[in-house]
Amino acid sequence: MHLKFFSTVALAVVGAAKNVRDVEPCAKVSQLVADANQNKINARVPHDLAHQCLLSMPFDSDRALNFLNQVRKILEFQSTIDILKNPPAGYTMPSTDIIGGINTILAKAKSNGFSSQFDMDLEVNKLIKSAHDGHLAFQLCSQSIFTYGIDLPLVSISTDGLALPQVYTLNDAKLQKTNSKAVSPLASINGTDVATFLESYASGQSLQDRDAQYNRVFPGLARSVTNTPTDANGIWASIGDWTDGAELSLKFANGTEKIVQKTATPSERFFSYENGTHLWNTECVPRDLSTPLSSSSVAEKASEVPGLPSTDWRTSANSIAGYYSNLTDLQDTAVIFLPTFSSSASEVAQIATDFLQNATAAGKKNVLIDVSANPGGYMSIGIDFSRIFFPGATPYTATRFRAHDAAKYLTKAYSRDTSTDSSNVFAYKQMVQPDQKTNFSSWKDLYGPHDILGSSASSLLANFNYTSTSSEVFPINGYGPVPLKPSKSLFPAENIAIITDGDCVSTCAFFVKLMKRRGVRTITFGGRPQKAAMQGVGGVKGGQSLGINYINGYIQQANKLISDSMNSSSPLLTISEWKAFNASSPSTAATLSWSGNLNLRNEYDPEDGETPLQFVYEAAECRLFYTLENYLERETVWQAAAKAMFGGGRCVEGSTKGKGSLDS
């Protein structure tokens, strides 16, 4: 859940609730929202009032049991559930038993152990987050009704990028420039050392690295200047949880104290419910929508991005931009700012190619690629982008999906599929092995199964076939109808560096891995206040995020194929196999409204086809802490990175000795 920093003007509405606790909490929220709308201000309500509204939602044991049984079957497709119980050495997060946890929640639901829908959803959400996998995420019906916030952004500031940082309020950090004696760092929150407190809250997030989680606590500029799904003012994901009261007690190093109230804002602008039952019936009971909702998209006109220099090298949605700078240490360096891989693939390819060719003509010697807070996107863009830098290299992709009954019968059901749907991992005729040349001889050749780190898994397969996938819309440089351009590397690997803050997820993580295999180095910023190495990529490194609706779609389509084949002389499945398939597959009829994603496939390195990349620790070659200037001007981050990577500058002491870093 996102935590936003709200303007104080909204708190006037909050105060109106203090003397009216005799009203149904959801009805009172509705009244505050109506008042706010009438006054044309954003509605904010007290944290505890929103909490009471959610707790007043009823609990239906029968619906809950059906829902949890379907969740359990869906989770069988999650590629990491076996390995998470006993993760390999090098994994920095605690082990977790996801299936065991769902069984525990099932038993509690069966005995009516939950007092509200919200209580159950909260337990499910915490269990899912314990996987620390950004691809495994559920949107449960009671969990997105409110977003929670405080009105006090914090920043972690180092004096020079090398000294250990201290935590300040953003306003105090800005005052340091003019009157440093009047500014005091934060010492504790709720009586706990500030760094310990923030690290504890950050640990509830889905990232797979504690430093990357810690960075999400703060409103870094990388999050405020992009058009990515990341919150515009930074994220404090867990401070919105309901377990620690409705306020924060801050104590500063100079002894002063401050109380900060938490608030909540309804996700619906016109929130209007009589009570928790009304809310539950609307949000949690599935409705039959006979007419699908339509959506339209309007192309955005490119405009200057606040906090960044001017440039003509950018896409219409600012999803990639190329910059030159006259700052010291940056004159010889071209900078590519890449906040997302969710964009027009052809536009990204065109801008990247044109900018790099222009950079060589302009005499630039180095390239920095800034992927801070990049949430991922289309895998083909990551592959194509790496091929633009290294056209002579074949990008290696190797994945496995978890072998279990439902996956086995899906693979067998699609064994005669001759469509051109290269996204259907269960159709062996559409898949290709990691060498991008060898096909699979049968569904059994693809499915296996193989015993991999105590988990039953498929054979290794490429993420997809580059030749059949590459097109003008989703180009992969040099594959299919797309010509090789450029035909040779424009910059050597030692003159390319990637900037991250650890929060580099999915396709972003995959792209960084492809580049590192060619010898490109990474430099990461921020993290916990300690002199040690930090991972450049702390986000999920899985091979495929798949929506639950897609799994249901594959199951429905497979059942039709099986049914149609029953009238032939060679049915796809026997009657007993078909029954087993249906018994192991989740029902496509929902008893509670929800959606979600999971990690269908693990990703592997060329030299290790057993250890999923999610469980591999790899430090960046260099680490720096953020300075105040870095928060205020992104260009100074590039300047510091260029000096450290190309200009003989220093890295944080001890940060170059981790696995994969400069001195490892």
Side-chain angles (χ1 to χ4, degrees):
M1 42 182 82
H2 296 277
L3 181 129
K4 301 180 179 180
F5 305 108
F6 303 132
S7 61
T8 53
V9 67
L11 298 182
V13 178
V14 173
K18 293 184 178 178
N19 300 318
V20 284
R21 295 302 189 210
D22 55 333
V23 181
E24 278 276 357
C26 292
K28 183 54 195 172
V29 171
S30 301
Q31 184 59 56
L32 290 177
V33 171
D35 292 346
N37 287 333
Q38 185 174 3
N39 293 318
K40 297 182 179 180
I41 61 175
N42 292 328
R44 314 296 186 211
V45 301
H47 180 278
D48 61 340
L49 179 63
H51 188 198
Q52 290 303 316
C53 174
L54 293 175
L55 288 175
S56 70
M57 299 174 77
F59 176 71
D60 184 321
S61 179
D62 290 340
R63 284 184 182 273
L65 288 172
N66 185 287
F67 160 75
L68 291 169
N69 276 308
Q70 301 314 312
V71 166
R72 193 190 187 289
K73 292 178 180 179
I74 284 286
L75 286 171
E76 295 285 351
F77 287 91
Q78 171 66 24
S79 64
T80 59
I81 57 172
D82 302 306
I83 303 172
L84 281 168
K85 291 189 290 186
N86 185 27
Y91 184 61
T92 61
M93 294 298 167
S95 61
T96 183
D97 183 357
I98 301 296
I99 296 298
I102 282 292
N103 288 339
T104 299
I105 296 172
L106 261 165
K108 188 173 178 179
K110 190 173 184 179
S111 63
N112 275 301
F114 294 104
S115 59
S116 70
Q117 180 72 42
F118 177 77
D119 277 340
M120 186 192 77
D121 287 352
L122 194 61
E123 284 201 23
V124 173
N125 227 9
K126 287 181 177 179
L127 175 66
I128 296 304
K129 284 185 176 181
S130 73
H132 295 287
D133 185 338
H135 282 172
L136 179 60
F138 288 177
Q139 291 79 48
L140 305 180
C141 65
S142 71
Q143 296 290 291
S144 58
I145 294 171
F146 295 100
T147 54
Y148 318 103
I150 62 170
D151 190 29
L152 194 71
L154 304 179
V155 289
S156 179
I157 297 295
S158 168
T159 55
D160 60 0
L162 300 172
L164 290 178
Q166 292 181 297
V167 177
Y168 297 87
T169 69
L170 181 57
N171 286 337
D172 281 353
K174 292 178 179 178
L175 285 175
Q176 279 188 308
K177 282 191 168 185
T178 56
N179 189 1
S180 61
K181 292 183 180 179
V183 174
S184 175
L186 193 58
S188 67
I189 300 178
N190 289 355
T192 302
D193 172 77
V194 61
T196 303
F197 181 92
L198 295 176
E199 183 180 343
S200 173
Y201 272 114
S203 67
Q205 299 182 42
S206 61
L207 295 175
Q208 297 173 343
D209 179 85
R210 296 189 188 279
D211 288 299
Q213 292 175 345
Y214 192 81
N215 270 350
R216 273 203 183 176
V217 171
F218 304 104
L221 182 65
R223 295 182 172 86
S224 65
V225 299
T226 67
N227 293 324
T228 70
T230 311
D231 182 79
N233 291 309
I235 296 174
W236 243 2
S238 298
I239 289 184
D241 286 351
W242 300 105
T243 56
D244 61 332
E247 62 185 27
L248 297 176
S249 175
L250 309 183
K251 187 171 184 178
F252 296 84
N254 63 5
T256 60
E257 298 184 9
K258 184 180 181 70
I259 300 296
V260 182
Q261 298 294 328
K262 297 180 187 177
T263 57
T265 183
S267 301
E268 292 182 53
R269 182 183 174 187
F270 298 103
F271 184 98
S272 180
Y273 297 98
E274 300 168 3
N275 49 44
T277 300
H278 184 194
L279 179 63
W280 180 81
N281 278 323
T282 303
E283 297 293 334
C284 295
V285 178
R287 289 169 290 171
D288 181 16
L289 300 178
S290 56
T291 304
L293 297 175
S294 62
S295 62
S296 61
S297 60
V298 179
E300 297 180 38
K301 183 179 180 181
S303 59
E304 297 295 338
V305 182
L308 295 182
S310 298
T311 182
D312 293 326
W313 307 97
R314 62 170 178 265
T315 61
S316 58
N318 292 319
S319 57
I320 183 174
Y323 295 97
Y324 300 141
S325 174
N326 291 321
L327 292 183
T328 304
D329 298 311
L330 271 176
Q331 294 96 329
D332 292 335
T333 300
V335 180
I336 293 178
F337 190 55
L338 190 65
T340 180
F341 286 92
S342 295
S343 182
S344 166
S346 57
E347 264 196 299
V348 170
Q350 189 66 53
I351 291 294
T353 302
D354 290 350
F355 177 69
L356 289 173
Q357 289 177 330
N358 185 274
T360 58
K364 301 299 180 182
K365 299 178 182 177
N366 312 307
V367 178
L368 284 173
I369 307 169
D370 189 347
V371 296
S372 301
N374 187 307
Y378 298 119
M379 179 74 80
S380 64
I381 296 181
I383 294 173
D384 183 49
F385 201 40
S386 72
R387 284 276 290 181
I388 290 171
F389 278 95
F390 300 104
T394 301
Y396 182 84
T397 64
T399 67
R400 297 183 193 271
F401 59 84
R402 184 172 181 267
H404 64 287
D405 280 353
K408 177 178 70 175
Y409 293 125
L410 277 173
T411 310
K412 189 173 182 181
Y414 283 107
S415 61
R416 298 172 197 166
D417 183 55
T418 56
S419 69
T420 57
D421 179 11
S422 61
S423 66
N424 186 353
V425 67
F426 304 109
Y428 83 89
K429 293 181 180 179
Q430 316 308 325
M431 295 297 105
V432 66
Q433 296 187 26
D435 62 5
Q436 288 291 322
K437 298 176 182 178
T438 309
N439 296 318
F440 291 95
S441 60
S442 66
W443 72 268
K444 291 182 179 179
D445 189 21
L446 169 64
Y447 179 75
H450 308 273
D451 185 0
I452 307 295
L453 296 183
S455 178
S456 188
S458 73
S459 301
L460 283 173
L461 65 152
N463 198 282
F464 50 77
N465 186 316
Y466 302 159
T467 300
S468 63
T469 300
S470 180
S471 66
E472 292 183 0
V473 177
F474 286 98
I476 299 179
N477 195 31
Y479 285 94
V482 180
L484 194 64
K485 181 184 178 182
S487 58
K488 63 179 181 179
S489 298
L490 300 178
F491 292 87
E494 60 267 24
N495 288 56
I496 304 170
I498 298 175
I499 301 171
T500 84
D501 59 356
D503 192 358
C504 173
V505 177
S506 192
T507 294
C508 179
F510 178 69
F511 165 73
V512 172
K513 191 66 176 179
L514 291 179
M515 298 293 280
K516 285 180 70 68
R517 287 174 187 156
R518 306 272 72 81
V520 173
R521 297 170 296 161
T522 57
I523 177 171
T524 190
F525 281 75
R528 294 170 293 174
Q530 58 182 8
K531 293 185 176 180
M534 175 178 165
Q535 287 200 85
V537 174
V540 60
K541 305 171 187 176
Q544 184 183 7
S545 172
L546 190 68
I548 290 166
N549 58 320
Y550 280 94
I551 292 176
N552 289 336
Y554 286 138
I555 290 169
Q556 287 178 318
Q557 187 179 48
N559 268 302
K560 185 177 187 310
L561 292 173
I562 296 165
S563 177
D564 291 346
S565 75
M566 287 298 174
N567 297 322
S568 70
S569 58
S570 56
L572 286 165
L573 301 183
T574 65
I575 295 296
S576 61
E577 286 176 329
W578 196 4
K579 288 181 179 179
F581 174 44
N582 287 322
S584 61
S585 299
S587 169
T588 57
T591 56
L592 288 171
S593 297
W594 70 298
S595 61
N597 290 69
L598 51 76
N599 193 73
L600 181 69
R601 291 191 270 174
N602 293 329
E603 190 81 43
Y604 299 87
D605 266 333
E607 64 277 7
D608 184 356
E610 293 200 348
T611 308
L613 292 182
Q614 293 102 305
F615 299 95
V616 176
Y617 177 89
E618 188 172 27
E621 281 77 10
C622 179
R623 176 189 190 179
L624 294 174
F625 295 115
Y626 286 114
T627 65
L628 177 59
E629 289 73 20
N630 295 159
Y631 277 100
L632 301 178
E633 292 185 62
R634 191 70 193 170
E635 205 171 355
T636 65
V637 172
W638 305 338
Q639 181 184 37
K643 183 177 181 180
M645 304 306 281
F646 309 128
R650 296 165 59 196
C651 305
V652 168
E653 181 183 348
S655 71
T656 64
K657 299 184 182 299
K659 180 183 177 183
S661 58
L662 290 172
D663 300 332
S664 62

